[in-house]
Amino acid sequence: MRESRVLRATALIVLLSFSGLVILALVREQTGTKGFLVGLGLAILPVPLLIAAFRWADRVEPKPWRNLLFAFAWGSCAATLVALLANGLATDWIMTTVAESSSADRDTWGATLVAPVVEESAKAAAVLLLYLYRRHDFNGVVDGVVIAGVTATGFAFTENILYLGNAFVSDQTFGYSGLQSTTAATFFIRAVMSPFAHPLFTALTGIGFGIAAARPPWQRTRRVLIPIVALLTSMLLHGVWNGSASLGGYGFLAVYGLCMVPLFALLTWFTIWSRGKELRTIRTQLPAYQAAGWLTPPEPVALSSMRARAIAQDLARRTRGHAAARAVAEYTSYATSLAFLRQRAYRGTAGQDFAARERALLNHLWQRKDIAQPALAHAALSIPTPPPPPQWRQQGYGGYGPYAPYRPHGPSTGPGNGWGHGYGWGYGTGPTFTGGPTPTSGPAPGGGPRPTAGPTPTSGPAPGGSTSGPGPWPPPYGPPGGWQGPQAPGRP
């Protein structure tokens, strides 16, 4: 298995490196050295903005940098090379086989019919590869939008070098300069008016793959058809945008204002809504681990708020240094992955390695709990109190402390749990749960008494991807008595 992964990684590196060298030679041949350098300097300007926007959208569970680097490299090298070679060949074939037209018609046919199909297919290949071989990092719509957007950003970067370099060569030939130059006009249209054009087209494909990733395995037809429909939609939108250039100035502005801008606003809203849904997933899934003794009561609340996460990291940095802030960030990342893993188990998409991956993530949390848990407890005080998740309300879950109304199932006895660790916050003993077994030996996280029982999920497939039907199934196992955490480093 390891040899296979190494072989795939080596083949991809060789392919992308070769594609990069070829595309570099082709672009330099068309623009010349000076035109290439000018195009490169101008084309790189919108890239940091675009990457920052997609990283912001991906803040809940940031994707590994290796995935983003692959996506950008694929878009800027492999996809661009395919488009540069295939666009011309396909356009020539259409013009000689289907129609006899002028050079102007040839350009219009190529831009409107050929380029959208070739370019969107080439960019979608990167999303497909990560969907197939990095499924653990591909949880839903936001992941699809981010991967597709970064791929398209790489594609637009290389394409802009070519367009801007050719514009500069044209200006040098005809003596144009300044704001009246073709270079300035090209830069304004491609980098100022429409830097999100390519990411918008390809993001539709990413949404399709994100929806497919959330479908259970038995919905095979939907998992295949949804990405295909999304890809065809991205091709259609791309063709409309390219075709608007042949409508004249007013036609172009009409398509831009009535089509592109509203769609971009809609995509932005949908991405933000999907990110909020990810936070709600965290709030819904993590209480199971709280009831089992792995998490403290404030953590599902704090981890489901971007503001509380930032406060926890800042507090750890100010009180215990950068290493502590990094530990809080890692704890947050592992807890988020744990919530999404449990959500996939409900959907039946977690896979047969669910138990091993769950245990590994819990191990990482246990190693960092002494630093992260008190910081998150303090941060939870700074955000509004959300209601408990529906499945916990149905089973009588009333929350702890200030986070929900206190309605104990039985008398609360014993000392306070004291989950404060010097941050000025402690908790009294919470309600006694009766919904299912939890660990009964060993210290609870934070050193207080352990919960005696905890509610269990009431529906969804069991961990491991079973599709045998609704539960109930047991809650996650708890930390064994006296266990000090595993020694296995690295992220699963």
Side-chain angles (χ1 to χ4, degrees):
M1 180 66 69
R2 179 177 177 82
E3 293 179 355
S4 176
R5 289 198 298 266
V6 171
L7 182 61
R8 288 199 301 264
T10 303
L12 280 176
I13 292 173
V14 171
L15 173 63
L16 294 176
S17 300
F18 175 76
S19 300
L21 292 175
V22 173
I23 198 69
L24 174 64
L26 292 175
V27 173
R28 183 178 175 277
E29 180 183 4
Q30 292 192 33
T31 63
T33 300
K34 195 172 182 179
F36 172 79
L37 294 176
V38 171
L40 175 63
L42 294 175
I44 203 172
L45 293 179
V47 171
L49 171 65
L50 296 172
I51 297 297
F54 289 115
R55 289 293 289 176
W56 175 85
D58 198 33
R59 286 174 63 201
V60 174
E61 190 191 27
K63 292 295 154 282
W65 274 105
R66 64 179 180 273
N67 291 359
L68 300 182
L69 288 174
F70 162 76
F72 187 86
W74 183 277
S76 59
C77 298
T80 314
L81 178 60
V82 170
L84 195 62
L85 297 177
N87 279 345
L89 294 175
T91 302
D92 289 340
W93 179 82
I94 289 178
M95 297 306 297
T96 57
T97 306
V98 179
E100 294 290 339
S101 304
S102 64
S103 176
D105 291 335
R106 177 187 182 278
D107 293 339
T108 302
W109 278 66
T112 306
L113 299 179
V114 176
V117 175
V118 172
E119 294 175 7
E120 294 307 320
S121 298
K123 289 182 288 182
V127 187
L128 175 63
L129 288 173
L130 290 174
Y131 174 81
L132 293 176
Y133 296 106
R134 288 292 183 268
R135 286 299 296 274
H136 293 172
D137 300 324
F138 211 118
N139 297 313
V141 169
V142 174
D143 298 328
V145 169
V146 170
I147 293 300
V150 172
T151 303
T153 299
F155 184 93
F157 167 66
T158 303
E159 191 178 61
N160 284 344
I161 295 176
L162 181 61
Y163 277 96
L164 291 166
N166 284 332
F168 177 79
V169 171
S170 175
D171 289 336
Q172 293 292 99
T173 302
F174 295 103
Y176 298 139
S177 62
L179 296 179
Q180 304 299 322
S181 65
T182 306
T183 304
T186 303
F187 179 81
F188 179 76
I189 293 175
R190 298 187 65 86
V192 178
M193 285 187 66
S194 58
F196 282 95
H198 272 291
L200 174 61
F201 308 146
T202 314
L204 298 178
T205 304
I207 290 174
F209 278 102
I211 295 174
R215 297 296 90 197
W218 58 86
Q219 295 183 358
R220 294 182 180 179
T221 303
R222 294 183 183 181
R223 296 177 71 182
V224 173
L225 290 181
I226 291 175
I228 293 176
V229 172
L231 175 60
L232 294 176
T233 305
S234 71
M235 293 175 181
L236 176 62
L237 181 61
H238 195 159
V240 171
W241 172 246
N242 285 359
S244 67
S246 63
L247 301 179
Y250 291 111
F252 170 80
L253 291 176
V255 172
Y256 179 79
L258 299 178
C259 180
M260 297 296 292
V261 173
L263 283 175
F264 174 71
L266 181 61
L267 175 65
T268 302
W269 170 84
F270 185 66
T271 303
I272 294 174
W273 178 84
S274 298
R275 196 178 77 164
K277 187 177 179 181
E278 290 184 337
L279 292 173
R280 291 190 293 273
T281 296
I282 296 171
R283 173 65 176 147
T284 301
Q285 298 299 329
L286 288 185
Y289 298 97
Q290 172 200 327
W294 285 97
L295 304 180
T296 57
E299 288 180 72
V301 177
L303 290 167
S304 60
S305 166
M306 299 306 299
R307 182 169 178 263
R309 291 181 177 202
I311 291 173
Q313 290 188 43
D314 180 66
L315 178 63
R317 182 182 298 105
R318 287 188 287 107
T319 57
R320 305 184 67 170
H322 290 282
R326 184 167 58 253
V328 172
E330 292 171 349
Y331 187 95
T332 299
S333 176
Y334 290 126
T336 302
S337 297
L338 185 64
F340 289 162
L341 177 64
R342 191 171 183 86
Q343 176 74 0
R344 289 198 296 273
Y346 272 109
R347 294 171 174 168
T349 60
Q352 298 300 318
D353 61 344
F354 170 87
R357 291 169 59 200
E358 181 189 52
R359 181 181 293 272
L361 289 169
L362 289 169
N363 290 345
H364 287 293
L365 294 181
W366 189 265
Q367 290 175 335
R368 296 160 176 83
K369 68 183 180 65
D370 291 335
I371 295 175
Q373 288 181 344
L376 289 167
H378 180 88
L381 299 174
S382 304
I383 59 176
T385 304
Q391 63 264 45
W392 296 88
R393 286 202 302 268
Q394 293 167 3
Q395 300 184 37
Y397 176 72
Y400 285 87
Y403 299 107
Y406 179 62
R407 297 187 180 90
H409 296 260
S412 297
T413 58
N417 290 336
W419 287 321
H421 295 272
Y423 289 97
W425 182 254
Y427 290 86
T429 300
T432 300
F433 295 102
T434 59
T438 57
T440 57
S441 62
R450 179 180 302 282
T452 59
T456 59
T458 57
S459 64
S466 171
T467 60
S468 57
W473 40 279
Y477 62 89
W483 187 56
Q484 299 301 315
Q487 305 299 320
R491 181 163 182 164

